Amino acid sequence: MSPTTPHHPLPFITRVRIENYKSIAHCDVALGRFTVLLGLNAAGKSNFLDALRFVRDALMHGPAEAVASRGGWNEVLRRVPEPATSCTVGVEFQLSSTTDGAVPWRGWYEITLAPVAVSGTVRDAGPGVRILREFCEMRRPGIQGQPETESFLMRDRAGEGRRHRVLELSRMDDDEPFARLHATLMEMFFYSPDLSVLREPRPSTPVFAGLGEDGGALGPALAALGEQERERISQYLGAIVPGVVEVGPTDPSADYVAARMSFATDGESEPHVFRAESMSEGTIRAIGLLTALFQPDARDGWIPLIAVEEPELALHPLAAGALYDALTEASESVQVLATTQSAELFDRKEADLSAIRVVAAEHGVTVIGEVDPVSRSIVADGLATTAELLRSDQLRPVVDPPAQLDEQPGGEKE
């Protein structure tokens, strides 16, 4: 993306439909600029995020590699109440045009994959993967009220068509607007930090490649931040860890760079300086999260969506307020999608319950939906907090029934 290219409309992904992916039999979930998947442990929150990451990985590396990296079909397809034979992930999106000032595109992209059947007539997409269906449609207002539409539909029927190893969208490098959609989907950022990686010093290089999804290159990432972003991170960390004065990198001119913070207690004239290896787990995780949220690629429009697993991990519940503020502020520049099993993020007057998608497990199957009206009323009347409802397993999702084929985006009856 060039500096003159408009930012992505927010939110980038407005709706996600998943069928038979891991523990999710069916879900149809609307997303906003800031959305939190809230549920108890093992409810299936991470599976929702991974379905989006699966689309990204299938476009980037191919469907076969996306399946293999997750342990094969046994780890990808839903198993209960009966084994599924295919899985579908679809996303509704809005996308800026390459022409400055043009109306954004809106559309739907969906893939359906399956294991290769034991049959000599089946066409497959590489080792063990068959692309059953790939659909994309993009629309925007056109001249004289006539909508401008771009679309394609690829179906695999036994004995027909060529052998597909790569998703069609991945082939469209020079075909606008599909090429732009492909590039934007591949820029989605799934932040899942590794504690040891967060602490690692990394070589100082003239050209910074960006923060790793595992938290790698945290020091160089802090060095690449602008003064304003680094100040915001310092302020948020000071609210999370009282006494923090400043957050930044160790000497950027050195061969290796790591995260650093200065810390002062009452009565001390000079703050103490701590490198990454000396910080507590909660502190270094908070610095990594804040850096991911305010990284230049997100601020400048290169990253359309940041997904975060359990941002409150290893932090005291009192830090929830600062985390909520950081997540909502970041969502002014990039779509933010987070999972949590701690409803303390929303135990405050200004918290918007419409940002919550409740995730629950029912008989081994994940269900996802907005907060049900009864729970909303209980919280609004002050009879219980969101956290209390969650802890007592009384926070329930509103779940719509699966749409029929002709009601689904790109669907048509056979």
Side-chain angles (χ1 to χ4, degrees):
M1 179 183 299
S2 68
T4 59
T5 300
H7 281 211
H8 302 293
L10 291 175
F12 166 50
I13 301 293
T14 56
R15 176 184 167 201
V16 179
R17 187 176 71 86
I18 302 170
E19 302 277 354
N20 299 325
Y21 187 83
K22 295 190 174 182
S23 64
I24 303 172
H26 166 80
C27 74
D28 196 335
V29 181
L31 302 181
R33 286 189 176 206
F34 172 45
T35 307
V36 175
L37 300 168
L38 175 63
L40 298 175
N41 193 37
K45 304 181 295 296
S46 296
N47 291 343
F48 182 92
L49 292 193
D50 191 59
L52 282 177
R53 182 164 43 201
F54 182 77
V55 172
R56 193 271 308 266
D57 293 351
L59 288 168
M60 184 177 294
H61 305 296
E65 175 61 29
V67 171
S69 67
R70 287 159 174 80
W73 279 114
N74 284 338
E75 302 299 323
V76 171
L77 290 179
R78 176 181 56 81
R79 302 181 191 177
V80 294
E82 66 277 331
T85 58
S86 66
C87 65
T88 297
V89 184
V91 295
E92 182 183 70
F93 59 86
Q94 49 183 354
L95 189 71
S96 62
S97 171
T98 53
T99 304
D100 288 349
V103 177
W105 293 93
R106 297 178 182 272
W108 184 269
Y109 178 69
E110 181 174 289
I111 57 174
T112 299
L113 306 178
V116 172
V118 183
S119 169
T121 62
V122 171
R123 308 295 180 182
D124 71 271
V129 180
R130 176 184 174 192
I131 302 173
L132 293 183
R133 181 178 184 272
E134 182 183 13
F135 170 78
C136 185
E137 181 178 79
M138 304 176 69
R139 292 188 175 187
R140 65 179 179 182
I143 301 174
Q144 297 180 346
Q146 295 297 319
E148 183 179 356
T149 302
E150 299 282 351
S151 67
F152 71 81
L153 171 65
M154 186 184 76
R155 279 191 181 276
D156 180 84
R157 293 180 173 86
E160 298 181 15
R162 69 180 187 274
R163 184 184 181 92
H164 297 288
R165 290 181 177 272
V166 179
L167 289 166
E168 193 67 19
L169 189 63
S170 298
R171 304 175 189 271
M172 298 182 172
D173 291 342
D174 300 317
D175 191 351
E176 291 289 346
F178 298 117
R180 182 161 175 78
L181 173 63
H182 176 250
T184 306
L185 286 169
M186 290 201 299
E187 292 296 338
M188 294 189 294
F189 189 86
F190 296 89
Y191 183 65
S192 183
D194 181 296
L195 183 59
S196 62
V197 173
L198 283 169
R199 299 185 190 277
E200 285 180 357
R202 289 294 178 93
S204 180
T205 58
V207 179
F208 177 54
L211 180 71
E213 291 186 330
D214 60 357
L218 177 58
L222 286 165
L225 289 172
E227 184 177 344
Q228 183 177 358
E229 286 75 25
R230 206 179 301 169
E231 182 178 348
R232 292 302 290 151
I233 290 175
S234 299
Q235 290 171 347
Y236 276 121
L237 191 68
I240 295 169
V241 183
V244 169
V245 178
E246 182 199 22
V247 176
T250 55
D251 183 2
S253 64
D255 292 337
Y256 287 82
V257 183
R260 170 196 58 79
M261 75 169 184
S262 56
F263 183 92
T265 58
D266 293 339
E268 292 184 324
S269 58
E270 292 293 331
H272 301 280
V273 176
F274 294 88
R275 290 173 58 97
E277 65 267 22
S278 302
M279 298 178 193
S280 69
E281 178 181 348
T283 299
I284 191 65
R285 284 189 180 277
I287 293 174
L289 170 65
L290 294 169
T291 305
L293 293 174
F294 294 104
Q295 59 184 302
D297 283 354
R299 176 199 62 207
D300 296 339
W302 288 82
I303 295 175
L305 177 148
I306 293 178
V308 181
E309 295 262 12
E310 298 187 8
E312 78 286 358
L313 190 64
L315 291 175
H316 192 279
L318 293 178
L323 284 178
Y324 180 87
D325 290 341
L327 291 163
T328 52
E329 181 179 336
S331 69
E332 296 174 6
S333 300
V334 62
Q335 185 176 11
V336 176
L337 180 58
T339 70
T340 182
Q341 50 186 313
S342 172
E344 277 79 7
L345 277 174
F346 290 88
D347 276 349
R348 50 191 302 167
K349 290 182 179 179
E350 64 269 32
D352 183 5
L353 293 187
S354 67
I356 293 177
R357 300 295 177 267
V358 180
V359 185
E362 297 182 356
H363 308 292
V365 176
T366 296
V367 292
I368 308 174
E370 296 183 1
V371 180
D372 72 287
V374 174
S375 297
R376 286 177 179 268
S377 177
I378 290 173
V379 173
D381 294 341
L383 301 177
T385 67
T386 310
E388 288 169 342
L389 291 175
L390 180 66
R391 284 192 291 267
S392 60
D393 200 21
Q394 296 182 46
L395 196 63
R396 309 309 302 167
V398 176
V399 180
D400 296 325
Q404 298 299 314
L405 180 62
D406 58 336
E407 296 174 347
Q408 295 171 357
E412 72 260 16
K413 292 183 178 179
E414 296 287 352

